[in-house]
Amino acid sequence: MNEGIVRVIQTAKDTEDRLTEKTSISFSPDSAEKEMELINIYEDLEYQEIEGFGGALTEASAVTIAKLSEAKQKEIIDAYFHPEHGIGYTLCRSHIQSCDFSLGNYAYVEEENAELRNFNISRDHEAIIPLIQRAAALSGEDFRLFSSPWSPPAWMKTNGQMNNGGKLKPEYRQAWADMFVKYIQAYAAEGIDIWAVSVQNEAKAVQIWDSCVYTAEEEKDFVRDYLGPALEQANLSHVKVLIWDHNKERVYDRAKAAFEDEAASKYIWGICFHWYSGDHFEALSAVHDRFPDKKLFFSEGCQEGGVHLGSWNTGERYGHDIMGNLNNWMSCWTDWNIVLDEQGGPNHVGNYCDAPIIGDTQKDEVIFESSFYYIGHFSKFIRPGAKRIGSSKYTDKLETTAFRNIDGTIAVIVMNRTESKLPFTLSYRGQLAEHSIPAHAIQTLLFQ
């Protein structure tokens, strides 16, 4: 990259620009005598390090991809995971046993026994494991997999079913912790290392699909007394443990309950969260300010209510949330399903949603939604190991963030959700580069 030159990558509504490289701009000495419409970059201020970006490799995604022709399958996998031609996903999520985006409920031990006889992951061999292996092979050595349970087996629960909430029976806490260990070991035997686990997806929600409720105390105690020791005894202490895995509005309260218990906190790497209850960006900073050694991990978000073909708002929703989370200490980011079918499924309770890529299994077509391109402005150019650096902007009509990658490249993301083209001048090391951003557009500016 030439010094003094700023590469401009753009996605814009009502244009053909989709992660499109535009004409570069150049820095020149700051000789202006008047105040300007600045975006300032403060390179000597460093914040969190990025672990990676990615999405969920669910059974629904795996089954949908498998129904497409080999050429379309390759197009999807390359789009997400190819290090040069794709958007650079390296951090993915999967589900331990079934979730709503499975074809139905299933458990690794179906019949009641605390010794976990007949434990097997044969269902995962059908679609999920081949997809994970394919993604990991293309992504390379940076690939990481994070796994979450939606429910323990029905026989471990107070309501006797995987759906509709319920709780983990106290007498099965040890057996459930042991199942985490068996899951990690079984995946390792397939050449898949589990990098991290969360205790429970959406730990406060009673859902008509696979769900299980933990109070803050119950979750913390389960980690302290069962899951943490079980991983330790199996020589799996390197597997990171995260709590909460639910919306941001209660992220501080759940963090406080867990992290103030030293015996529990020693096992917990961080807290993960979703977006379905609103922004609450300041809540993330509150957690960081109170517990600066704990990681903040966005583990799920999607556009609900089925497929929204052609919607621009979906992409802007992603851009806004990613930007707000990053500017408040988020280190890891995973989208929900990487691919869904033309209906927004399959989903065994009809909870259809959108995804950044829709695989039309009837027409053998691959449709890229606006969200795919908006995500790509972050995932492709803010690489694992990058650190956020300081920045400021002249107007709240623009949303911005800035990162320095390991190779020294600085990536500044600028987003405009207004109806008007907006000017700005990038200010860095006493140099200025004038530019503008179209209405409803996002840009990544790259320079050294």
Side-chain angles (χ1 to χ4, degrees), residues 389-424:
I389 56 176
S391 63
S392 67
K393 59 189 188 297
Y394 77 95
T395 175
D396 62 5
K397 292 178 180 178
L398 293 175
E399 295 169 72
T400 62
T401 193
F403 282 80
R404 182 194 293 109
N405 286 292
I406 290 174
D407 67 359
T409 302
I410 290 177
V412 179
I413 293 89
V414 182
M415 187 170 73
N416 175 13
R417 291 191 292 160
T418 76
E419 300 290 338
S420 304
K421 176 181 177 181
L422 293 172
F424 65 86

Side-chain angles (χ1 to χ4, degrees), residues 93 110 282:
R93 188 187 191 203
E110 294 285 3
E282 301 85 352

Side-chain angles (χ1 to χ4, degrees), residues 6 43 74 135 285 296 362 366 388 434:
V6 181
E43 63 171 329
K74 185 177 187 302
S285 276
L296 290 158
Q362 303 302 310
V366 174
R388 181 165 64 94
E434 292 188 41

Side-chain angles (χ1 to χ4, degrees), residues 121 124-125 129 132-133 183-193:
I121 58 167
D124 293 2
H125 279 287
I129 286 175
I132 293 169
Q133 291 171 330
Y183 168 80
I184 294 165
Q185 291 171 335
Y187 265 63
E190 302 301 323
I192 300 170
D193 292 328

